[in-house]
PDB file of all heavy atoms in Angstrom:
ATOM      1  N   ALA A1130      27.630  -3.168  63.107  1.00  0.00           N
ATOM      2  CA  ALA A1130      26.477  -2.322  63.565  1.00  0.00           C
ATOM      3  C   ALA A1130      26.412  -2.231  65.067  1.00  0.00           C
ATOM      4  O   ALA A1130      26.103  -1.162  65.587  1.00  0.00           O
ATOM      5  CB  ALA A1130      25.248  -3.065  63.042  1.00  0.00           C
ATOM      6  N   THR A1131      26.731  -3.238  65.796  1.00  0.00           N
ATOM      7  CA  THR A1131      26.773  -3.300  67.207  1.00  0.00           C
ATOM      8  C   THR A1131      27.818  -2.189  67.752  1.00  0.00           C
ATOM      9  O   THR A1131      27.533  -1.419  68.673  1.00  0.00           O
ATOM     10  CB  THR A1131      27.215  -4.579  67.778  1.00  0.00           C
ATOM     11  OG1 THR A1131      26.383  -5.570  67.190  1.00  0.00           O
ATOM     12  CG2 THR A1131      27.140  -4.643  69.385  1.00  0.00           C
ATOM     13  N   ILE A1132      28.948  -2.157  67.018  1.00  0.00           N
ATOM     14  CA  ILE A1132      30.003  -1.147  67.441  1.00  0.00           C
ATOM     15  C   ILE A1132      29.515   0.311  67.197  1.00  0.00           C
ATOM     16  O   ILE A1132      29.673   1.182  67.959  1.00  0.00           O
ATOM     17  CB  ILE A1132      31.310  -1.433  66.668  1.00  0.00           C
ATOM     18  CG1 ILE A1132      31.782  -2.780  66.948  1.00  0.00           C
ATOM     19  CG2 ILE A1132      32.229  -0.375  67.041  1.00  0.00           C
ATOM     20  CD1 ILE A1132      32.995  -3.255  66.103  1.00  0.00           C
ATOM     21  N   VAL A1133      28.892   0.466  65.956  1.00  0.00           N
ATOM     22  CA  VAL A1133      28.524   1.825  65.621  1.00  0.00           C
ATOM     23  C   VAL A1133      27.418   2.282  66.618  1.00  0.00           C
ATOM     24  O   VAL A1133      27.542   3.487  67.067  1.00  0.00           O
ATOM     25  CB  VAL A1133      27.984   1.886  64.187  1.00  0.00           C
ATOM     26  CG1 VAL A1133      27.292   3.216  63.836  1.00  0.00           C
ATOM     27  CG2 VAL A1133      29.091   1.597  63.125  1.00  0.00           C
ATOM     28  N   ARG A1134      26.545   1.473  67.003  1.00  0.00           N
ATOM     29  CA  ARG A1134      25.482   1.806  67.988  1.00  0.00           C
ATOM     30  C   ARG A1134      26.200   2.170  69.328  1.00  0.00           C
ATOM     31  O   ARG A1134      25.742   3.182  69.962  1.00  0.00           O
ATOM     32  CB  ARG A1134      24.517   0.691  68.146  1.00  0.00           C
ATOM     33  CG  ARG A1134      23.390   0.739  67.264  1.00  0.00           C
ATOM     34  CD  ARG A1134      22.178  -0.083  67.479  1.00  0.00           C
ATOM     35  NE  ARG A1134      21.613  -0.328  66.253  1.00  0.00           N
ATOM     36  CZ  ARG A1134      21.789  -1.586  65.502  1.00  0.00           C
ATOM     37  NH1 ARG A1134      22.570  -2.499  66.117  1.00  0.00           N
ATOM     38  NH2 ARG A1134      21.259  -1.720  64.339  1.00  0.00           N
ATOM     39  N   ARG A1135      27.066   1.409  69.798  1.00  0.00           N
ATOM     40  CA  ARG A1135      27.659   1.628  71.097  1.00  0.00           C
ATOM     41  C   ARG A1135      28.462   2.973  71.016  1.00  0.00           C
ATOM     42  O   ARG A1135      28.465   3.816  71.945  1.00  0.00           O
ATOM     43  CB  ARG A1135      28.510   0.484  71.589  1.00  0.00           C
ATOM     44  CG  ARG A1135      28.797   0.701  73.004  1.00  0.00           C
ATOM     45  CD  ARG A1135      29.497  -0.431  73.587  1.00  0.00           C
ATOM     46  NE  ARG A1135      30.638   0.100  74.395  1.00  0.00           N
ATOM     47  CZ  ARG A1135      31.535  -0.601  75.000  1.00  0.00           C
ATOM     48  NH1 ARG A1135      31.657  -1.866  74.764  1.00  0.00           N
ATOM     49  NH2 ARG A1135      32.486  -0.060  75.651  1.00  0.00           N
ATOM     50  N   LEU A1136      29.151   3.176  69.979  1.00  0.00           N
ATOM     51  CA  LEU A1136      29.822   4.455  69.900  1.00  0.00           C
ATOM     52  C   LEU A1136      28.891   5.586  69.797  1.00  0.00           C
ATOM     53  O   LEU A1136      29.196   6.630  70.522  1.00  0.00           O
ATOM     54  CB  LEU A1136      30.654   4.571  68.418  1.00  0.00           C
ATOM     55  CG  LEU A1136      31.881   3.548  68.363  1.00  0.00           C
ATOM     56  CD1 LEU A1136      32.506   3.515  66.966  1.00  0.00           C
ATOM     57  CD2 LEU A1136      33.041   3.995  69.349  1.00  0.00           C
ATOM     58  N   LYS A1137      27.770   5.545  69.298  1.00  0.00           N
ATOM     59  CA  LYS A1137      26.792   6.575  69.176  1.00  0.00           C
ATOM     60  C   LYS A1137      26.418   6.892  70.647  1.00  0.00           C
ATOM     61  O   LYS A1137      26.340   8.034  71.050  1.00  0.00           O
ATOM     62  CB  LYS A1137      25.627   6.223  68.357  1.00  0.00           C
ATOM     63  CG  LYS A1137      24.907   7.280  67.798  1.00  0.00           C
ATOM     64  CD  LYS A1137      23.876   6.863  66.746  1.00  0.00           C
ATOM     65  CE  LYS A1137      23.122   7.960  66.087  1.00  0.00           C
ATOM     66  NZ  LYS A1137      22.210   7.423  65.074  1.00  0.00           N
ATOM     67  N   ALA A1138      26.108   5.749  71.351  1.00  0.00           N
ATOM     68  CA  ALA A1138      25.734   5.933  72.767  1.00  0.00           C
ATOM     69  C   ALA A1138      26.825   6.575  73.555  1.00  0.00           C
ATOM     70  O   ALA A1138      26.507   7.356  74.561  1.00  0.00           O
ATOM     71  CB  ALA A1138      25.349   4.614  73.300  1.00  0.00           C
ATOM     72  N   ASP A1139      28.076   6.424  73.157  1.00  0.00           N
ATOM     73  CA  ASP A1139      29.178   6.981  73.928  1.00  0.00           C
ATOM     74  C   ASP A1139      29.493   8.377  73.424  1.00  0.00           C
ATOM     75  O   ASP A1139      30.457   9.032  73.747  1.00  0.00           O
ATOM     76  CB  ASP A1139      30.439   6.099  73.667  1.00  0.00           C
ATOM     77  CG  ASP A1139      30.326   4.883  74.442  1.00  0.00           C
ATOM     78  OD1 ASP A1139      29.417   4.659  75.201  1.00  0.00           O
ATOM     79  OD2 ASP A1139      31.195   4.007  74.185  1.00  0.00           O
ATOM     80  N   GLY A1140      28.625   8.952  72.482  1.00  0.00           N
ATOM     81  CA  GLY A1140      28.820  10.265  72.059  1.00  0.00           C
ATOM     82  C   GLY A1140      29.700  10.354  70.836  1.00  0.00           C
ATOM     83  O   GLY A1140      30.114  11.535  70.355  1.00  0.00           O
ATOM     84  N   ILE A1141      30.030   9.275  70.137  1.00  0.00           N
ATOM     85  CA  ILE A1141      30.859   9.314  68.953  1.00  0.00           C
ATOM     86  C   ILE A1141      29.904   9.000  67.729  1.00  0.00           C
ATOM     87  O   ILE A1141      29.600   7.833  67.530  1.00  0.00           O
ATOM     88  CB  ILE A1141      32.049   8.407  68.986  1.00  0.00           C
ATOM     89  CG1 ILE A1141      32.956   8.756  70.157  1.00  0.00           C
ATOM     90  CG2 ILE A1141      32.801   8.398  67.677  1.00  0.00           C
ATOM     91  CD1 ILE A1141      34.090   7.878  70.364  1.00  0.00           C
TER      92      ILE A1141
END
Side-chain angles (χ1 to χ4, degrees):
T1131 308
I1132 300 170
V1133 172
R1134 269 195 208 97
R1135 193 174 134 193
L1136 287 171
K1137 203 169 186 179
D1139 291 350
I1141 301 177

